[in-house]
Amino acid sequence: MKILLKIAYDGTNYAGWQRQENAASVQGVLEFALRRLFGEDVPISGASRTDAGVHANGQCATFELAKMPIPLEKLPTVINSQLPSDIAVQSAKTVADDFNARFGAVSKTYVYKIYNAPVRNPLVCRYAAFVPQKLDVAKMQQAANFFVGTFDFAAFCASGSSAKSTVRTVFSCEVAEEIIGEISQNRLISIKISGNAFLYNMVRIIAGTLFYVGCGKFTAADILPIIASKNRAKAGKTMAACGLVLEEVFY
Amino acid sequence: MKILLKIAYDGTNYAGWQRQENAASVQGVLEFALRRLFGEDVPISGASRTDAGVHANGQCATFELAKMPIPLEKLPTVINSQLPSDIAVQSAKTVADDFNARFGAVSKTYVYKIYNAPVRNPLVCRYAAFVPQKLDVAKMQQAANFFVGTFDFAAFCASGSSAKSTVRTVFSCEVAEEIIGEISQNRLISIKISGNAFLYNMVRIIAGTLFYVGCGKFTAADILPIIASKNRAKAGKTMAACGLVLEEVFY
């Protein structure tokens, strides 16, 4: 039988999702826990290969087992008892044998957070990039709309990507802000983006491009020409990994 | 001149606020940074000796310096450049020479957070205690009111306290809840408590007592008799340090 897990993790201490020879990965730690639990090698297959330091609330991954000795509703808690505090299975369900966690996904949602305040705050900055210069959120909101659609996003793809096509569809891209604490100048800016799939570092480069809009280096009118350029050098910087969360995968 | 700093920290990796011989403390790390910055020993004096693993958004502490070589408005950023990512000064201002960060405080506010959900979530549980059994928040809210007032809180004081009197005044104690994510059963319960001062572990024992109310072990009617007993064994358990944040100190 094939089981689909929904997994949350704090990526701070990991070299990313994907199993690696010489570094701790989320996949590697999960597979180690499953092997201890079931007494056999249980390879898992993830929806998204999140990068080093990137977090997840709703990563999805499947594994197969001839016979499941644990009731499905107890599986998350049982697996979690074998995991470190920074990784936890949120839910488990059975799926069809031909279900593919990666290629079966119709949509993924990521959230990128920026803590925009005069000084950094450790309780916020574990899960947000710190930006001290004041950002114009209204301009960022305006610019975000231009990412929605089907485009060749080559300008928003880090080198080293193995993607055959760089065409992707962004379904929505929204910027919101929230005051943190008593001081109105301390704001958490969230960029929520959904799409059919994302290129290597695409969300972090879109966040970096919106950051450039927020500090006046780009305007909303620059977005479509940057996309059309297909030139990575035209887009904004790649924002820090710590601000990114894989929020949900839809099938 | 005397400087008052407001400090935020993630207490996870520290043995508490207070300087110790053989363990990393927040005070010790701050004093090390100030010594490197000013080239002399600069002892600091904190408002609250938060325990191992307890966090702060608004810890306050003073230090004295004959001559301040750095403009006050730049001081937080300059000190922060010498601090690890889990500690950061939020603001700095001058105070009178007789200002005392600890005994001058008229009120302190703490927030205790409980993540109440079927399975733990690493992105929430760094700053919240995980409780899987469903809590009755309405009953916790009702019970919280009974902590407001001036009482002998001996029943809410851990042994090992050096306090001469165990009488304290609680100004307010409020319980709120917030849905986390898409699933309504995943809730973050916050206990916000303000008082003139708090005994050793007092907030964590009050949180543990409200937790017992939430799971039906105690009722709101039990709170005043527990206070009156002055017996630590009658109150609830001491909740985990990770859920506690020193939110603000008022002078």
Side-chain angles (χ1 to χ4, degrees):
Chain A
M1 69 194 298
K2 204 170 204 170
I3 307 287
L4 175 65
L5 300 178
K6 189 173 160 185
I7 305 146
Y9 48 85
D10 177 327
T12 308
N13 298 323
Y14 295 96
W17 165 263
Q18 201 163 24
R19 190 194 310 122
Q20 288 185 31
E21 275 303 314
N22 300 308
S25 68
V26 180
Q27 183 184 19
V29 169
L30 274 163
E31 289 177 340
F32 188 77
L34 294 181
R35 189 171 55 198
R36 205 161 37 190
L37 211 55
F38 298 119
E40 57 178 290
D41 275 345
V42 185
I44 61 174
S45 177
S48 180
R49 288 169 300 178
T50 57
D51 250 337
V54 172
H55 317 291
N57 243 323
Q59 170 73 291
C60 285
T62 57
F63 67 91
E64 286 181 277
L65 215 59
K67 198 170 162 283
M68 169 56 70
I70 300 161
L72 214 57
E73 68 276 13
K74 289 191 179 163
L75 194 58
T77 300
V78 173
I79 298 176
N80 291 347
S81 71
Q82 304 290 320
L83 290 171
S85 65
D86 52 9
I87 305 178
V89 173
Q90 300 298 293
S91 64
K93 63 177 183 180
T94 52
V95 287
D97 285 344
D98 63 350
F99 182 95
N100 186 301
R102 186 168 171 208
F103 298 107
V106 294
S107 169
K108 288 173 190 168
T109 300
Y110 283 89
V111 176
Y112 195 93
K113 287 186 180 155
I114 296 170
Y115 182 55
N116 190 28
V119 288
R120 63 182 173 83
N121 181 319
L123 298 183
V124 180
C125 294
R126 191 171 177 93
Y127 306 121
F130 168 56
V131 169
Q133 64 263 50
K134 198 176 180 193
L135 300 178
D136 187 326
V137 175
K139 286 193 176 150
M140 292 170 72
Q141 286 168 326
Q142 206 189 344
N145 296 321
F146 290 99
F147 287 104
V148 178
T150 301
F151 298 107
D152 184 334
F153 280 103
F156 297 85
C157 181
S159 62
S161 164
S162 59
K164 279 173 201 133
S165 161
T166 47
V167 175
R168 295 290 184 274
T169 301
V170 170
F171 302 128
S172 65
C173 182
E174 284 161 11
V175 180
E177 68 174 320
E178 178 193 349
I179 306 293
I180 294 288
E182 314 287 303
I183 304 165
S184 66
Q185 61 183 347
N186 296 350
R187 300 176 304 163
L188 192 64
I189 300 172
S190 298
I191 300 164
K192 188 174 183 177
I193 186 164
S194 297
N196 65 341
F198 292 91
L199 299 164
Y200 185 43
N201 278 354
M202 180 168 156
V203 178
R204 287 162 61 187
I205 301 169
I206 288 177
T209 304
L210 289 173
F211 159 62
Y212 279 8
V213 171
C215 52
K217 215 163 165 177
F218 290 163
T219 69
D222 293 325
I223 303 301
L224 288 179
I226 292 170
I227 296 174
S229 77
K230 299 178 198 171
N231 180 354
R232 171 67 190 93
K234 300 282 184 192
K237 70 167 182 170
T238 305
M239 295 290 278
C242 70
L244 187 59
V245 177
L246 169 56
E247 202 56 43
E248 216 167 346
V249 181
F250 299 91
Y251 294 99
Chain B
M1 71 192 300
K2 202 169 204 169
I3 308 287
L4 175 66
L5 301 177
K6 188 174 159 184
I7 305 147
Y9 48 86
D10 178 327
T12 309
N13 298 323
Y14 295 97
W17 165 263
Q18 200 164 24
R19 191 193 310 122
Q20 289 185 29
E21 276 302 314
N22 300 309
S25 67
V26 179
Q27 183 184 21
V29 168
L30 275 162
E31 288 177 340
F32 188 79
L34 294 181
R35 189 171 57 198
R36 203 160 40 190
L37 210 56
F38 298 120
E40 57 178 290
D41 276 344
V42 186
I44 61 174
S45 178
S48 180
R49 289 169 300 178
T50 57
D51 250 336
V54 172
H55 317 291
N57 243 322
Q59 169 73 290
C60 285
T62 58
F63 67 91
E64 285 182 279
L65 215 60
K67 200 170 161 280
M68 169 56 69
I70 300 160
L72 214 55
E73 68 277 12
K74 289 191 178 162
L75 193 58
T77 300
V78 173
I79 299 177
N80 291 347
S81 72
Q82 304 290 320
L83 289 172
S85 65
D86 51 10
I87 305 178
V89 173
Q90 300 298 292
S91 64
K93 63 176 183 180
T94 51
V95 287
D97 285 343
D98 64 351
F99 182 95
N100 185 301
R102 187 169 171 207
F103 298 106
V106 293
S107 168
K108 290 173 188 167
T109 300
Y110 284 89
V111 176
Y112 195 92
K113 287 186 181 156
I114 295 170
Y115 182 56
N116 190 27
V119 288
R120 63 183 174 82
N121 182 319
L123 298 182
V124 180
C125 294
R126 192 173 176 92
Y127 306 122
F130 168 56
V131 170
Q133 64 262 51
K134 198 176 180 195
L135 299 179
D136 186 327
V137 175
K139 286 193 176 150
M140 292 170 72
Q141 286 167 326
Q142 206 188 344
N145 296 321
F146 289 98
F147 287 104
V148 178
T150 301
F151 299 106
D152 184 334
F153 279 104
F156 297 86
C157 181
S159 61
S161 164
S162 59
K164 279 175 204 133
S165 160
T166 46
V167 174
R168 296 289 184 276
T169 301
V170 170
F171 301 128
S172 64
C173 182
E174 283 160 11
V175 180
E177 67 174 322
E178 180 192 347
I179 305 294
I180 295 288
E182 313 286 303
I183 305 165
S184 66
Q185 62 185 347
N186 297 349
R187 300 175 304 164
L188 194 63
I189 300 172
S190 299
I191 301 164
K192 188 174 184 177
I193 186 163
S194 296
N196 66 341
F198 292 92
L199 298 165
Y200 184 44
N201 278 354
M202 179 169 156
V203 178
R204 288 162 62 188
I205 301 170
I206 288 177
T209 304
L210 289 173
F211 159 62
Y212 279 9
V213 171
C215 51
K217 217 164 163 176
F218 290 163
T219 70
D222 293 326
I223 304 301
L224 289 180
I226 291 170
I227 296 174
S229 78
K230 299 179 198 171
N231 180 354
R232 171 66 191 92
K234 300 283 184 191
K237 69 167 184 171
T238 305
M239 296 290 279
C242 69
L244 187 59
V245 177
L246 169 57
E247 203 54 46
E248 215 166 347
V249 181
F250 299 90
Y251 294 100

